[in-house]
Structures are given as C-alpha cells and as structure tokens.
Amino acid sequence: MKLQQLRYIAEVVKHNLNVSSTAENLYTSQPGISKQVRMLEDELGIQIFGRSGKHLTHVTPAGQQVIDIANDILSKVESIKKVSEEYTKPNQGELNIATTDTQARYALPQIIREFIKRYPKVNLHMHQGTPSQISEQAARGDADFAIATEGMHLYTDLIMLPCYHWNRSIVVTRDHPLAKITKPSIEDLAQYPLVTYVFGFDKASEIEKSFKRANLDPRVVFSATSADVLKTYVRLGLGVGVIASMAIDANIDKDLVAIDASHLFAHSTTKIGFRRGSFLRGYMYDFMLHFAPHLSRDVVEKAVALRDQQLIDEMFASMTLPIR
Amino acid sequence: MKLQQLRYIAEVVKHNLNVSSTAENLYTSQPGISKQVRMLEDELGIQIFGRSGKHLTHVTPAGQQVIDIANDILSKVESIKKVSEEYTKPNQGELNIATTDTQARYALPQIIREFIKRYPKVNLHMHQGTPSQISEQAARGDADFAIATEGMHLYTDLIMLPCYHWNRSIVVTRDHPLAKITKPSIEDLAQYPLVTYVFGFDKASEIEKSFKRANLDPRVVFSATSADVLKTYVRLGLGVGVIASMAIDANIDKDLVAIDASHLFAHSTTKIGFRRGSFLRGYMYDFMLHFAPHLSRDVVEKAVALRDQQLIDEMFASMTLPIR
DNA sequence: GGAATTTACGCAACTCGTAAGCATT
DNA sequence: AATGCTTACGAGTTGCGTAAATTCC
C-alpha cells in the first residue's frame, strides 16, 4: 500500500469516478492511475470501485470504508507537512477560508486586512459558497476554516467554535410606511412582502420561527444569499428587507432606513469550524483569536480536547460572546 | 513522504533510537533505514531526531509531533487492511488481547474457549502485563483490546467500555480466627496482616479507601499481581488474603475459607479498551458481546460515536452491569 | 577497540509516460 | 463516433543490500 494509491482513489472519487479528468487534474497519466488503483485493489483483495466493463460505475461498500480512512490518512499527511513548516517557516504558509458571502463581505475584511499585515508571507485564499459547500470543503481538508452561521452541524468531522452573535435589521426605503415606526411588531412586519436570505442557506430559520410563533405566515417574495443583492431589491421596492445588521453601512446605505429587529428575531451565532484532527498552524490560532477574541489558543485547544461537539457547545454556553 | 519512512521513524522510536536493532527487527538493512530517515528529514526540512555526531540521542519536539501523527497514520493503514480482510476473510484474522493476570486466569478462559470454537481461523494472542503496559499496547495498536480494572483512564487514545463489576473476598486458612466470622467488620480485618494486590497495579485503591474511611491503617505484608501467588502466601500463613472473588475456585481452594467482603469494599469495574479510530473486525464485536453481554455492536458503536470518555461513562452509568 | 552510523556502489524493482487496443455510452 | 479504461513497452528513478569508511562511547 502506497500513499499515492490512497491519493489516487480519493481523487478519483472526488472526480466522480472519472479517471481521465482525475489524471489531468493531478498532472499525471490516466493509465498510471488506473494501474495503481487496480494494484491497490489486488493487494487488498477487494474491489474499491464497481465496474461495468471498463468503466467505473460506483464505489463498493468496502471501497467507501477504505476511502473514508484514506482521506483521514491523507489529511494527517498534510498535518505532518504543516508541523514541519511550523518549524521551518513559522510565518509562511497557506490559509484557506471557506465562508459565506455575508461573512466575506462584512465580518472578515477588517480581520483579514490586519492578518495580511501581520503575516505578509501567508497566502490567503477565500472560498465562497453555501454553508454546506463550505462545511464540506473544511471537512475534506480543502479549506482550513469554515465560517458560517448555519448548516455546519451536520458534519461530525468538523469542530465548531462559536464566534459572535448577530441580529437582524429591517431595511426599507425612506418612503416606506415602516420607516416611521421605531419598534415595529411582528404583525406590522407581516403586512409586507419580505426580501431576505434564502431559506436553509444562511439563517431564514430564525425568521420563520418568529412568524410561526405569532401564527403568521411571512410572504418572502425574493430571497438571495447576498446582503448586497437583497438591498438592491429593497431599493427597487420589491419588499421589506430582513438583513444581518452588520451588513448595513451607514455611509453607503443612506437612502435606506434600517430598524433594529433584535426584539423580533432571536440572535444567530456565527461559528468557525475546522477539521477534527488537523494540525493548526500558529497563524491559524492567531487568526481565530483576532476574529473572535475569546478564542485564545488555550481555549481552542481545550475545546479540541473535549472531542464532542455537545461538550464544546456547553463549554461556550457559559461564556459571553461578542455581539455584532 | 512514503509510508515506509513513517514506519521507520516510528519503529526507531520504539527501539530506543537504535537503528541497528530496528533494522534487525524489520528484517531489513540498517543503512536503508538510516537513509530513509534522513531523506524524510530532508524533505520536511526538520530534524526528527537529535544527533550527537552519528548517534541518535533524542527526539526533537518537532519530531515528536511528527511521530505522533505518523503512528496515527500507520494505525489507519492497518484499519484499511482490516476492512478489506473483513470482506475477503470474515472469520479469519488476528485477535490480540492485552490483559492482567487475574483476567487472563479467571475471567477470560470460558469466553476464549467459546470464541476459539466459534472462530477457529482467528489467531488469538494474549499479552500479559501491568495495567499501564496493557493500556499502552492497546493505545499503540499492538493489541486490539486492553482488559483491566485500573490504570487505563490515563490514555486518551483509548475508548473504554465497562464490562462487569466484581467484589473481593477475604481468604484465610481454615484454622484462622476469621474463618469463624461470617460477616467480619473492617476493624476485624485490620487486626491481621494483609496479603493483597500490588498497589497501583490492579485495585488496592478501593481497599485503602475503606480502611481510611474507618481511620484504620492496613498492614500489607505481602503484595503481588497474581491471585494464585497471593493464595500461596495465604496458605503459608503470611496473612489474610483480600482477593477478587472470581479468583476463588471452590474445588482447588478447598483448604481455604473465602468470606465475601462486598460489604467492606466498594466493587471495582473491569473495562475493555481499544484504540480510538481503529477499525473493529466483526469477530471483535462478537468477542466483546460474549465477554460482556450488554456490549452489543449497536451499543459499542454508539459509545464510539460519543467520542468523549466522560459521555461514554455516563451512557453506561444508567445500565446495570453484570456482577461476578 | 567495539558498536553504531554514514558513505559508496550496484542490482533489482517500481513508477510513470507514451502509444496502441478495446469496451462502453 | 466519441469518450474512457486497459494493455504493452520503454526510460528514468528509487529502494535496498553489501562493503568500506567514519565516528562515538
């Protein structure tokens, strides 16, 4: 068994069992991969991939187990490399952050600006996507961190640490009736069509909950993943925006009126997640500390040692998190 | 980075940094290992081993981290092999059990006899040692299971599942004064010199606790790790034996009187431990089930999924375990 | 001086790439 | 017919063993 063979089968799976495109992606030849895959199968005495003739059609049950472990191994191989780089070039390396549009646009810029100043030799890559894409990237090891508010809890391979709470605001044009109400009720809001985040994407659930509690049925006429897009459609008069408060810029959004809605909707919590068992570089700890000041190295290491997500949640339940 | 290189550094550490003996043990040449070790160090750009001239003297901090991860990787490589063997030869393989003398002698024989009958093609190996040796063997992957009563809690790499409770008996010769008392008190017992298990070895702690609680100071004149040895010295009149009840055989020990001491000492719990993250063969689940009937595959898998030892302990706290 | 590691060298094995053959969609 | 996997073969590399040199205790 060779590490390359494990790399090959893992990559083949990631390329939907297409060996040719896998080879292209790895800058190697297709026959080379084919051969190594079959050699591994021969050595283990099992089929990892099901075949119809010469085509790979599916992953066998045994194969799936092997691939899961192989990914674990490959991730640990990366950890070894990171360990050595931590000693050879402590302030140099990669930082891959997978996050949602809102975080990338409003929560992260200041942090990242400081981070780049502090670690000019660390190459920073931002990956945007839906919460589930983000979580998977982190769980697969394609990203060091996943930063999102929802949808990460499904991945047991991720350790998630709460970073900050945030509330929503109601956003309307200056001439909208709601603009004159300083503290609108949920019933007030229910009278108007809504413009808010895509359900299941970021945080629609908290909004739905509040309406359900009041036995109301919100009418979402437009949803998107990006606060900027939402604001644009609020400006077009499509409806009333319900948007993360941090996404409102007093300078840029002068033409809009933002009304705090923390009395209507429970706060949400943005979390940072990383792969269980992955080695964290010094600058990664530092990044977390600057993103969420309560996440000191000690705290993070303690949380990791707890292993169980529920215990981690309990650990932070007693801590007061910043509110943005 | 090659798997062999990781294997080599791990083995060199296990052989106290003696490359020659490592080579001998791996049936390969000493220069081969030396070279691969240095090639890995060159690739990573760090020293794994500290050297004084040509001799390896110690493991560097960076090296220790690398070695820890390497052991993880190697253990997962073994898991892949086990997975494939589970499909190719489901009733064939190895079972390495590390345990204490008492377990091997009194608790396991019946289980193992049945197991061998059930799985004639599984090669069974028993490793005896102190609880800490046992735990380390399991944590290192040298043994599939560690079975012991104490000393395993220190190894966070081990998942431990409680198997059964057991009590102690007072063992004396027929002519001893205590032989006539059916339910001796702790004060009765304190009048005589004791013969019991080595402290820190198996379970002396519970005995000490009971005496301390009564403000008494037990006088242990002889201690050993094996119940058979203890009985021998009881026969010599050295003192009163305090021995696991299961270690008393009504047939063999006719010349001795055994008095149940469950009212004097709290019961102890024997646990079975295995390495976190290791793949368990079907027959391993079966072994656990027969050793401790409450440890069905479902229960074990649920416990493993909990990850945290404390949560596992809580899970079993509500279950009633067998008493032996 | 003895034990242990490094260096040097040569053989065998292996990985990988190209090109041709063949099955599947 | 096109796409994609397998077989075949050759070149370059690498892993490993033996023997000699070197260093440490």
Side-chain angles (χ1 to χ4, degrees), chain B residues 98 133-146 152 157-158 273-276:
Chain B
Q133 288 173 333
I134 288 166
S135 306
E136 197 175 321
Q137 284 184 68
R140 275 164 59 147
D142 293 340
D144 300 302
F145 290 131
M152 293 208 286
D157 279 351
L158 286 186
F274 49 88
R275 195 184 210 279
R276 190 182 300 284

Side-chain angles (χ1 to χ4, degrees), chain B residues 2 4 8 28-29 31 39 52-55:
Chain B
K2 306 272 161 62
Q4 241 131 339
Y8 285 165
T28 185
S29 73
M39 284 183 71
S52 108
K54 297 194 169 184
H55 287 241

Side-chain angles (χ1 to χ4, degrees), chain B residues 47 62 65 70 85 103 109 124-125 146 149 165 182-183 194 202 258 284 309 315:
Chain B
Q47 293 263 112
Q65 295 187 65
E85 279 169 7
Q103 304 297 328
L124 195 69
H125 306 285
T149 296
H165 300 310
T182 46
K183 198 170 172 182
L194 296 186
D202 231 4
M284 293 179 183
Q309 186 61 43
M315 166 179 170

Side-chain angles (χ1 to χ4, degrees), chain B residues 85-264:
Chain B
E85 279 169 7
E86 184 71 6
Y87 284 87
T88 53
K89 13 187 171 160
N91 296 322
Q92 201 174 330
E94 301 267 322
L95 179 57
N96 286 277
I97 299 173
T99 188
T100 56
D101 186 89
T102 309
Q103 304 297 328
R105 175 82 177 73
Y106 297 101
L108 288 170
Q110 306 93 306
I111 313 294
I112 285 180
R113 200 183 43 178
E114 282 173 38
F115 182 85
I116 289 176
K117 207 186 291 171
R118 216 175 157 82
Y119 299 99
K121 288 188 172 175
V122 172
N123 296 324
L124 195 69
H125 306 285
M126 300 281 290
H127 309 259
Q128 286 186 28
T130 66
S132 68
Q133 288 173 333
I134 288 166
S135 306
E136 197 175 321
Q137 284 184 68
R140 275 164 59 147
D142 293 340
D144 300 302
F145 290 131
I147 300 177
T149 296
E150 277 195 10
M152 293 208 286
H153 52 92
L154 300 168
Y155 293 78
T156 54
D157 279 351
L158 286 186
I159 291 171
M160 293 172 306
L161 309 179
C163 298
Y164 60 83
H165 300 310
W166 55 269
N167 284 299
R168 291 158 189 77
S169 286
I170 296 166
V171 177
V172 291
T173 50
R174 296 205 159 277
D175 56 358
H176 194 279
L178 275 178
K180 278 153 204 106
I181 304 176
T182 46
K183 198 170 172 182
S185 68
I186 192 84
E187 286 80 10
D188 291 336
L189 192 57
Q191 297 181 352
Y192 304 97
L194 296 186
V195 171
T196 190
Y197 298 103
V198 173
F199 171 78
F201 181 79
D202 231 4
K203 40 237 134 179
S205 49
E206 282 301 336
I207 297 178
E208 288 228 352
K209 270 189 216 163
S210 288
F211 280 103
K212 277 241 171 80
R213 205 175 298 125
N215 263 321
L216 294 169
D217 225 358
R219 189 155 54 92
V220 178
V221 290
F222 182 83
S223 65
T225 60
S226 150
D228 286 309
V229 173
L230 294 178
K231 284 190 279 185
T232 303
Y233 285 83
V234 169
R235 287 193 173 93
L236 290 179
L238 213 69
V240 174
V242 179
I243 301 177
S245 299
M246 63 182 157
I248 293 150
D249 188 309
N251 291 321
I252 297 171
D253 301 327
K254 276 178 189 158
D255 55 333
L256 297 176
V257 176
I259 308 154
D260 176 57
S262 56
H263 60 294
L264 295 181

Side-chain angles (χ1 to χ4, degrees), chain A residues 144-159:
Chain A
D144 300 302
F145 290 133
I147 300 177
T149 297
E150 277 194 10
M152 293 208 288
H153 52 94
L154 300 168
Y155 293 78
T156 53
D157 280 352
L158 285 186
I159 291 172

Side-chain angles (χ1 to χ4, degrees), chain A residues 107 174 249 269 324:
Chain A
R174 296 205 159 275
D249 188 309
T269 306
R324 299 192 52 156

